[in-house]
């Protein structure tokens, strides 16, 4: 019997867009009783898949193909169209570098803010606070507002907080592609492989094909909301590259 972490059945998602057709006050006044112009966009169409517990599952596709929409449906932040079913077995969180950061707050306050969004209690954050700051190599800047951070400092802090999150299933939205300088990249890659990923179910959305090829057990390719295929990374990367050759 398969130990299923995530099961999706007949998942579709349609958005209704109200398009602006008039600009002036006069035009809006004379068109006030006319029906609004609506357009439906099918962001996802008939996605079916099972992700086993402990699997590293990748999702690739061009921008606008429905990748992030699918993650939000798995997370429960969006409801699928009628007829679709989502089953998630385990505690689940979404990881995205810098998600929940406030640039007006210091690193100290952002650690508490961001880590609490990832499910850690204030007591747990307090116990791990020093470790988080030391791993990010920001001891001298812990009370500096992060709006003054360089992009490297910002990403190191975000990564260090994220690797301390506790969940069974991680949804990674463009989360990891090597963070900081070459030395920190080496350190972060080691932690990513030996600590963050180990024993967890990972669903990773990203454009870093080398990472997809290195880590993923299987990959789903999406194209304008349509599932093109699910298979081994090498095969699906070839499919993805072929799609990208035809806008």
């Amino acid at each position: 019997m398969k130990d299923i972490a995530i099961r999706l059945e007949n998942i579709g998602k349609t958005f209704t867009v109200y398009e602006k057709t008039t600009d002036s006050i006069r035009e809006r006044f004379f068109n006030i009783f006319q029906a609004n112009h609506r357009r439906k966009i099918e962001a996802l169409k008939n996605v079916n898949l099972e992700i086993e517990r402990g699997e590293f599952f990748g999702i690739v596709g061009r921008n606008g193909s429905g990748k992030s929409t699918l993650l939000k449906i798995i997370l429960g932040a969006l409801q699928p169209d009628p007829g679709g079913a989502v089953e998630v077995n385990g505690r689940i969180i979404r990881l995205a570098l810098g998600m929940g950061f406030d640039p007006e707050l210091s690193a100290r306050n952002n650690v508490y803010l961001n880590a609490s969004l990832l499910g850690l209690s204030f007591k747990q954050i307090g116990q791990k606070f020093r470790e988080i700051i030391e791993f990010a190599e920001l001891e001298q800047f812990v009370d500096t507002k992060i709006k003054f951070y360089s992009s490297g400092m910002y990403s190191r802090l975000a990564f260090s907080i994220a690797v301390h999150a506790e969940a069974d299933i991680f949804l990674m939205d463009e989360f990891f592609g090597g963070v900081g300088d070459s030395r920190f990249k080496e350190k972060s890659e080691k932690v990513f492989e030996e600590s963050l990923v180990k024993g967890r179910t990972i669903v990773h959305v990203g454009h870093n094909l080398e990472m997809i090829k290195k880590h993923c057990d299987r990959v789903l390719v999406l194209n304008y909301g349509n599932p093109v295929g699910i298979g081994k990374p090498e095969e699906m990367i070839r499919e993805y590259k072929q799609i990208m050759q035809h806008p």
Side-chain angles (χ1 to χ4, degrees), residues 135-190:
F135 184 87
E137 302 172 4
L138 294 171
E139 297 93 329
Q140 303 302 313
F141 305 96
V142 67
D143 290 310
T144 301
K145 290 183 178 180
I146 65 169
K147 69 179 182 180
F148 299 116
Y149 277 18
S150 68
S151 59
M153 294 166 71
Y154 186 94
S155 60
R156 293 204 310 268
L157 179 62
F159 180 82
S160 186
I161 294 170
V163 298
H164 289 85
E166 296 181 357
D168 306 305
I169 303 167
F170 283 167
L171 306 182
M172 297 184 177
D173 196 351
E174 298 286 358
F175 172 72
F176 185 79
V179 190
D181 58 25
S182 58
R183 184 181 57 80
F184 192 85
K185 283 180 183 177
E186 184 177 345
K187 180 170 76 169
S188 62
E189 285 172 2
K190 183 177 180 181

Side-chain angles (χ1 to χ4, degrees), residues 28-230:
R28 288 200 295 269
F29 177 78
F30 284 110
N31 288 295
I32 193 170
F33 298 110
Q34 293 183 7
N36 291 324
H37 182 60
R38 296 183 298 175
R39 183 163 63 94
K40 293 186 180 294
I41 298 175
E42 290 185 278
L44 289 170
K45 307 168 189 175
N46 197 33
V47 178
N48 294 276
L49 64 88
E50 291 181 342
I51 299 173
E52 295 186 35
R53 195 176 305 278
E55 187 174 10
F56 198 125
F57 191 89
I59 303 175
V60 298
R62 69 173 84 237
N63 291 333
S65 62
K67 304 185 299 296
S68 292
T69 298
L70 186 57
L71 285 194
K72 290 175 183 177
I73 288 174
I74 295 172
L75 189 63
L78 283 177
Q79 291 299 311
D81 290 343
V86 180
E87 177 186 337
V88 175
N89 299 307
R91 185 166 177 269
I92 186 169
I93 61 173
R94 180 185 174 204
L95 296 181
L97 285 181
M99 183 177 67
F101 271 16
D102 185 337
E104 294 296 330
L105 297 180
S106 67
R108 183 186 304 276
N109 290 333
N110 268 294
V111 167
Y112 277 88
L113 173 63
N114 201 275
S116 64
L117 292 175
L118 296 178
L120 296 178
S121 67
F122 269 40
K123 181 178 180 180
Q124 290 173 312
I125 298 168
Q127 293 170 341
K128 298 181 178 186
F129 179 81
R130 183 174 179 179
E131 183 181 347
I132 291 170
I133 293 297
E134 288 181 350
F135 184 87
E137 302 172 4
L138 294 171
E139 297 93 329
Q140 303 302 313
F141 305 96
V142 67
D143 290 310
T144 301
K145 290 183 178 180
I146 65 169
K147 69 179 182 180
F148 299 116
Y149 277 18
S150 68
S151 59
M153 294 166 71
Y154 186 94
S155 60
R156 293 204 310 268
L157 179 62
F159 180 82
S160 186
I161 294 170
V163 298
H164 289 85
E166 296 181 357
D168 306 305
I169 303 167
F170 283 167
L171 306 182
M172 297 184 177
D173 196 351
E174 298 286 358
F175 172 72
F176 185 79
V179 190
D181 58 25
S182 58
R183 184 181 57 80
F184 192 85
K185 283 180 183 177
E186 184 177 345
K187 180 170 76 169
S188 62
E189 285 172 2
K190 183 177 180 181
V191 169
F192 181 81
E193 294 178 9
E194 296 180 1
S195 176
L196 183 63
V197 173
K198 192 173 182 180
R200 293 188 171 99
T201 305
I202 308 294
V203 181
H204 177 80
V205 165
H207 293 94
N208 187 329
L209 298 183
E210 286 302 315
M211 183 190 173
I212 295 288
K213 184 176 180 180
K214 179 179 180 181
H215 292 288
C216 291
D217 300 303
R218 292 185 300 148
V219 176
L220 163 67
V221 179
L222 289 173
N223 188 35
Y224 296 124
N226 292 294
V228 176
I230 301 174

